C-alpha cells in the first residue's frame, strides 16, 4: 500500500518516521550517509525532523570514517546510513577499521523489501552476512511489530563495552508500514565492575615484588576515562608505559614514563619491549596487534602477567596470563593504586622514584637528540615533516586543538612537536584501512565546533577519501587538512626494506606500485575544485605564510605539503606507459 502524506497523518506514523524518532531519542542527531533508492522513504521523512542533521558524503567509506571520527570524539553511539549491497561493499573496509577501534557506530542500510528477497533482483544479496564479519552485531528487521525493538537492541550492543559497530538492515516495505511501537531511549547497561579485593591485593603484591614493572594499555583506558588512575599506578611503581592497539590518547605523551607504542607491523619490534619486564600489567587492550606478530613467548620466562579488561575475549587470547580479570579499567586501576600505596614500603617508594628519574632522563635525551637532528634540516630542501610541524606548534593553541593523525610515516614528527596531552585531543589511525585522516577530522570538528581540528594524511591515504573535502564545504565544517605528500606509499617502502633484511635479500629498487610520483597529484587544485581554499608548500619560507592563512578563520583549508620522498617519476612514466 502506498500512503499520501494526508492519509499517513490520519492512519499514524510509518516506520520511516518512527526510526528517526528512535534515533533522536537515543541522542543521535547526526546521520552520516550516502543516499540510495531503497532508503528514499526515511530520507524523505527527514524533512519532518529538522533536529536530525544529514551529513552528505560522496562515497560510503567516507560516511563510515566521518562517523568514526565523531564517535571517537564523543564516545557516543553514532548513526551511519549506507545503501544496499554495492554501498555496503564500498564501506566494509572502513567498518572493519571501526570494529578494530571499538567505535560505537550504528550502521543502517535498506533493502528493497522482504517481499522481493526471493527474487534475486538487482542489488539483492545477504546484507547481514556481508556485514557480520566486520561488525559486533548484524541483523535485519523483519516485522513492523519489532522494528524499534531491533534498533534499540543494536544501539545497546554498539554502546556496551567493548563497544563496536553494529548493522541493521531495514527493508523498505517494513519501513513503509504503519508502526505503532512506542519510542523510548535504549538502555545502555553499566559495566563499571570492580575486581574482587583479593584479586587487587594479588596484583599489587606481584607488581611491588618486581624490579622492572611494565604497563601496556589501549583504548580501554580512553573509553573508561582512566588516564588519571593509570598515571597514578605508573608513578607509584615507576613503570614504563606503552600504548598497544589504540587510537585515542591513553596517557599524556610528555609524561616521563610514557614510552610510545609497541610495534604495529612486526613482532620483532615489540619483542624486546615485552621481554623487559618481570611483572607486566595489561589494561584495556590485548597482546599483541602486529600484522606479523611474534609466534613464540613474548614475556620473560619468570615474568608475572596481569590483565584487566572489559573484553573477556582479549584476556589470554594469544599469550599466557597469570591473573586475568574482567573489570572496568578505571575502577581496577583506582583500587590497584590504593592497594599499592597501602602496601608499599619506604624503600620501594624510593626505588620507584629513582626509576621515574632514570626513565625520564633517557626519554628526555632521546627527544633532544631527535630535535637536534631536526634542527640540522633547517633551511634545507626537499622538506622534512619536522620543519613544518615545528612552525605549526608555535602558532597553535595546543590545548584548544584536536589532531586527527593519519600521517603514518610522518606521525613521529607531528607528535614530537604537538605531543598528545589531553583526553579527546589527539586521535590516531587504526585498523589498517587507509583514508580516515580527513573524514575523521570532519567528524571530530562536528563534535567540537569551537576547536581547531587538523587532519593529517599521506598522499596515498588521502586519495582514498579525497571527496570528503566537498562535504566539509557543504556542511560548513571548518576542519583543516594537511597532505604529507612524499610521492609514494612510503610505509610500504619501509616495510619491504624490513622484508628484504629479514630474508637477506639485497636492497634494490622498490616495486613500481609503491611510487605515486607520476602523474604528480596536485592536492591544492583538487581541494580548490571542491570549494576548499588550499596552498602548495615546497620551500621552507612558504611554511609560515601557509599556516597563518590556514589558521586565519574557521573555514576548511588544505595544505599540500611536498616532502622528501623516494620516487622516480621518469622511471615510472617509462615503465608504466603501455
Amino acid at each position: 500500500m502506498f500512503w499520501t502524506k494526508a492519509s499517513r497523518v490520519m492512519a499514524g506514523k510509518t516506520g520511516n518516521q518512527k526510526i528517526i524518532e528512535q534515533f533522536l531519542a537515543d541522542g543521535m542527531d547526526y546521520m552520516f550517509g550516502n543516499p540510495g533508492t531503497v532508503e528514499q522513504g526515511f530520507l524523505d521523512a527527514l524533512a519532518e525532523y529538522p533536529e536530525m542533521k544529514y551529513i552528505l558524503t560522496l562515497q560510503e567509506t567516507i560516511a563510515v570514517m566521518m562517523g568514526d571520527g565523531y564517535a571517537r570524539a564523543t564516545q557516543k553511539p553514532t548513526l551511519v546510513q549506507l545503501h544496499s549491497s554495492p554501498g555496503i561493499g564500498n564501506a566494509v573496509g572502513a567498518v572493519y577499521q571501526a570494529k578494530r577501534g571499538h567505535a560505537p557506530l550504528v550502521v543502517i542500510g535498506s533493502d528493497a523489501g522482504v517481499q522481493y528477497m526471493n527474487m534475486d533482483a538487482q542489488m539483492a544479496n545477504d546484507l547481514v552476512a556481508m556485514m557480520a564479519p566486520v561488525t559486533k552485531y548484524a541483523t535485519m528487521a523483519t516485522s513492523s511489530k519489532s522494528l524499534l525493538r531491533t534498533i534499540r537492541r543494536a544501539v545497546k550492543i554498539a554502546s556496551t563495552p567493548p563497544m563496536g559497530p553494529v548493522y541493521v538492515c531495514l527493508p523498505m516495505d517494513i519501513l513503509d508500514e504503519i508502526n505503532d511501537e512506542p519510542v523510548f531511549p535504549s538502555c545502555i547497561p553499566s559495566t563499571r565492575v570492580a575486581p574482587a579485593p583479593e584479586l587487587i591485593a594479588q596484583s599489587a603484591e606481584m607488581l611491588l615484588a618486581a624490579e622492572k614493572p611494565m604497563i601496556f594499555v589501549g583504548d580501554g583506558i580512553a573509553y573508561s576515562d582512566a588516564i588519571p588512575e593509570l598515571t597514578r599506578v605508573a608513578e607509584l611503581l615507576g613503570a614504563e608505559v606503552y600504548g598497544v592497539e589504540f587510537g585515542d590518547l591513553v596517557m599524556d605523551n610528555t609524561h616521563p614514563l610514557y614510552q610510545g607504542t609497541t610495534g604495529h607491523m612486526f613482532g620483532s619490534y615489540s619483542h624486546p619491549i615485552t621481554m623487559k619486564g618481570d611483572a607486566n600489567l595489561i589494561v584495556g587492550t590485548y597482546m599483541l596487534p602486529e600484522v606479523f606478530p611474534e609466534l613464540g613467548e613474548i614475556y620473560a620466562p619468570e615474568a608475572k602477567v596481569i590483565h584487566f579488561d572489559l573484553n573477556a575475549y582479549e584476556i589470554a587470547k594469544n599469550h599466557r596470563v597469570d591473573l586475568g580479570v574482567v573489570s572496568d579499567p578505571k575502577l581496577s586501576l583506582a583500587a590497584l593504586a590504593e592497594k599499592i600505596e597501602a602496601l608499599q614500603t619506604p624503600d620501594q617508594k624510593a626505588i620507584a622514584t629513582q626509576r621515574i628519574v632514570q626513565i625520564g632522563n633517557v626519554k628526555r635525551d632521546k627527544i633532544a637528540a631527535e630535535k637536534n637532528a631536526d634542527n640540522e634540516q633547517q633551511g634545507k630542501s626537499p622538506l622534512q615533516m619536522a620543519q613544518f610541524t615545528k612552525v605549526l606548534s608555535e602558532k597553535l593553541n595546543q590545548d584548544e586543538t584536536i589532531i586527527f593523525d593519519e600521517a603514518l610515516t610522518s606521525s613521529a614528527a607531528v607528535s614530537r612537536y604537538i605531543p598528545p596531552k589531553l583526553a579527546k585531543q589527539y586521535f590516531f589511525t587504526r585498523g589498517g584501512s587507509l583514508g580516515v585522516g580527513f573524514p575523521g577530522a570532519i567528524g571530530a570538528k562536528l563534535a567540537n565546533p569551537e576547536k581547531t581540528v587538523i587532519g593529517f594524511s599521506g598522499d596515498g591515504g588521502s586519495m582514498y577519501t579525497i571527496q570528503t573535502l566537498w562535504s566539509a564545504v557543504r556542511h560548513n565544517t571548518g576542519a583543516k587538512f594537511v597532505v604529507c605528500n612524499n610521492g609514494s606509499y612510503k610505509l610500504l617502502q619501509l616495510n619491504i626494506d624490513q622484508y628484504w633484511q629479514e630474508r637477506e635479500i639485497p636492497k634494490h629498487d622498490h616495486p613500481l606500485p609503491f611510487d605515486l610520483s607520476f602523474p604528480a597529484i596536485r592536492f591544492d587544485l583538487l581541494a580548490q575544485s571542491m570549494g576548499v581554499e588550499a596552498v602548495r608548500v615546497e620551500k621552507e619560507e612558504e611554511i609560515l605564510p601557509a599556516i597563518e592563512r590556514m589558521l586565519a578563520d574557521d573555514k576548511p583549508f588544505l595544505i599540500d605539503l611536498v616532502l622528501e620522498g623516494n620516487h622516480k617519476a621518469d622511471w615510472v612514466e617509462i615503465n608504466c606507459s603501455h
Side-chain angles (χ1 to χ4, degrees), residues 276-513:
K276 284 199 293 186
D278 54 354
N280 300 290
L281 174 63
I282 304 157
V283 188
T285 189
Y286 77 95
M287 307 291 280
L288 278 161
E290 303 101 343
V291 177
F292 304 105
E294 172 65 40
L295 296 175
E297 178 62 76
I298 64 169
Y299 306 116
E302 303 302 321
K304 298 296 183 182
V305 182
I306 305 157
H307 195 159
F308 295 109
D309 203 337
L310 279 171
N311 192 346
Y313 172 74
E314 301 293 4
I315 298 174
K317 181 175 75 173
N318 291 327
H319 301 286
R320 67 178 176 88
V321 168
D322 296 293
L323 179 59
V325 186
V326 178
S327 59
D328 175 66
K330 185 179 184 73
L331 295 182
S332 302
L333 289 167
L336 183 61
E338 288 189 12
K339 195 64 177 177
I340 290 172
E341 202 159 23
L343 295 177
Q344 198 170 36
T345 67
D347 284 348
Q348 288 172 331
K349 288 181 182 179
I351 291 170
T353 300
Q354 186 179 11
R355 279 199 292 254
I356 294 173
V357 172
Q358 291 171 343
I359 293 167
N361 287 343
V362 172
K363 178 177 179 176
R364 182 199 61 211
D365 293 345
K366 178 176 179 289
I367 294 173
E370 291 168 344
K371 289 186 174 181
N372 286 337
D374 293 339
N375 290 336
E376 293 177 4
Q377 297 300 320
Q378 297 264 230
K380 293 184 179 179
S381 186
L383 292 176
Q384 304 291 321
M385 190 66 189
Q387 291 169 270
F388 178 84
T389 52
K390 184 177 180 181
V391 177
L392 178 62
S393 70
E394 295 165 356
K395 303 301 293 185
L396 286 177
N397 177 352
Q398 294 190 31
D399 289 344
E400 294 300 318
T401 300
I402 295 173
I403 301 295
F404 209 105
D405 182 358
E406 194 192 24
L408 298 180
T409 55
S410 296
S411 289
V414 178
S415 60
R416 186 152 62 244
Y417 291 94
I418 312 172
K421 297 179 183 179
L422 304 175
K424 299 182 183 179
Q425 182 194 53
Y426 204 110
F427 301 99
F428 301 89
T429 186
R430 62 192 177 190
S433 178
L434 286 177
V436 72
F438 291 176
I442 295 175
K445 177 66 174 177
L446 287 167
N448 298 275
E450 75 288 357
K451 299 210 171 165
T452 298
V453 179
I454 306 175
F456 290 86
S457 187
D459 44 345
S462 63
M463 282 304 296
Y464 278 64
T465 55
I466 198 68
Q467 310 98 309
T468 201
L469 299 177
W470 181 91
S471 296
V473 176
R474 179 183 178 94
H475 297 288
N476 191 29
T477 307
K480 315 298 182 181
F481 312 99
V482 178
V483 181
C484 308
N485 185 355
N486 54 41
S488 63
Y489 289 124
K490 188 172 181 180
L491 185 62
L492 297 183
Q493 292 177 338
L494 294 176
N495 288 344
I496 202 168
D497 287 344
Q498 176 77 13
Y499 176 88
W500 290 335
Q501 181 180 340
E502 289 177 353
R503 289 156 179 79
E504 298 183 349
I505 298 172
K507 192 169 182 177
H508 49 279
D509 287 334
H510 291 125
L512 273 171

Side-chain angles (χ1 to χ4, degrees), residues 1-3 14-16 41-42 171-178:
M1 180 181 291
F2 293 92
W3 300 86
T14 68
N16 288 308
F42 72 81
M172 189 175 185
D173 47 8
I174 300 296
L175 295 182
D176 283 340
E177 292 179 18
I178 296 298

Side-chain angles (χ1 to χ4, degrees), residues 106-379:
V106 179
V107 181
I108 59 172
S110 288
D111 187 87
V114 174
Q115 61 185 318
Y116 302 116
M117 284 187 178
N118 288 329
M119 299 295 291
D120 194 25
Q122 179 79 351
M123 293 193 292
N125 209 336
D126 188 341
L127 304 183
V128 173
M130 289 178 69
M131 292 294 271
V134 295
T135 56
K136 187 179 176 186
Y137 173 72
T139 191
M140 179 173 68
T142 56
S143 168
S144 60
K145 303 298 182 184
S146 295
L147 173 63
L148 302 190
R149 179 183 293 122
T150 301
I151 289 173
R152 283 191 291 269
R153 180 188 304 156
V155 172
K156 183 199 78 166
I157 292 172
S159 308
T160 303
M163 297 185 295
V166 298
Y167 170 72
V168 183
C169 178
L170 301 172
M172 189 175 185
D173 47 8
I174 300 296
L175 295 182
D176 283 340
E177 292 179 18
I178 296 298
N179 186 290
D180 58 7
E181 291 179 278
V183 173
F184 54 87
S186 303
C187 176
I188 313 302
S190 172
T191 56
R192 292 289 190 183
V193 181
E198 61 269 21
L199 298 178
I200 288 293
Q202 289 178 39
S203 301
E205 289 164 1
M206 289 182 191
L207 292 165
L208 284 170
E211 294 182 4
K212 182 67 174 176
M214 300 280 288
I215 302 177
F216 301 94
V217 295
D219 275 334
I221 296 293
Y223 292 164
S224 65
D225 189 29
I227 295 173
E229 290 78 10
L230 165 66
T231 305
R232 185 180 172 203
V233 169
E235 289 174 346
L236 286 169
L237 295 172
E240 295 182 15
V241 180
Y242 285 86
V244 184
E245 181 73 346
F246 67 100
D248 298 354
L249 183 75
V250 293
M251 188 176 182
D252 180 350
N253 282 203
T254 64
H255 194 286
L257 293 175
Y258 183 74
Q259 301 297 298
T261 69
T262 58
H264 163 69
M265 187 63 59
F266 301 102
S268 57
Y269 179 89
S270 301
H271 194 249
I273 298 170
T274 59
M275 290 291 288
K276 284 199 293 186
D278 54 354
N280 300 290
L281 174 63
I282 304 157
V283 188
T285 189
Y286 77 95
M287 307 291 280
L288 278 161
E290 303 101 343
V291 177
F292 304 105
E294 172 65 40
L295 296 175
E297 178 62 76
I298 64 169
Y299 306 116
E302 303 302 321
K304 298 296 183 182
V305 182
I306 305 157
H307 195 159
F308 295 109
D309 203 337
L310 279 171
N311 192 346
Y313 172 74
E314 301 293 4
I315 298 174
K317 181 175 75 173
N318 291 327
H319 301 286
R320 67 178 176 88
V321 168
D322 296 293
L323 179 59
V325 186
V326 178
S327 59
D328 175 66
K330 185 179 184 73
L331 295 182
S332 302
L333 289 167
L336 183 61
E338 288 189 12
K339 195 64 177 177
I340 290 172
E341 202 159 23
L343 295 177
Q344 198 170 36
T345 67
D347 284 348
Q348 288 172 331
K349 288 181 182 179
I351 291 170
T353 300
Q354 186 179 11
R355 279 199 292 254
I356 294 173
V357 172
Q358 291 171 343
I359 293 167
N361 287 343
V362 172
K363 178 177 179 176
R364 182 199 61 211
D365 293 345
K366 178 176 179 289
I367 294 173
E370 291 168 344
K371 289 186 174 181
N372 286 337
D374 293 339
N375 290 336
E376 293 177 4
Q377 297 300 320
Q378 297 264 230

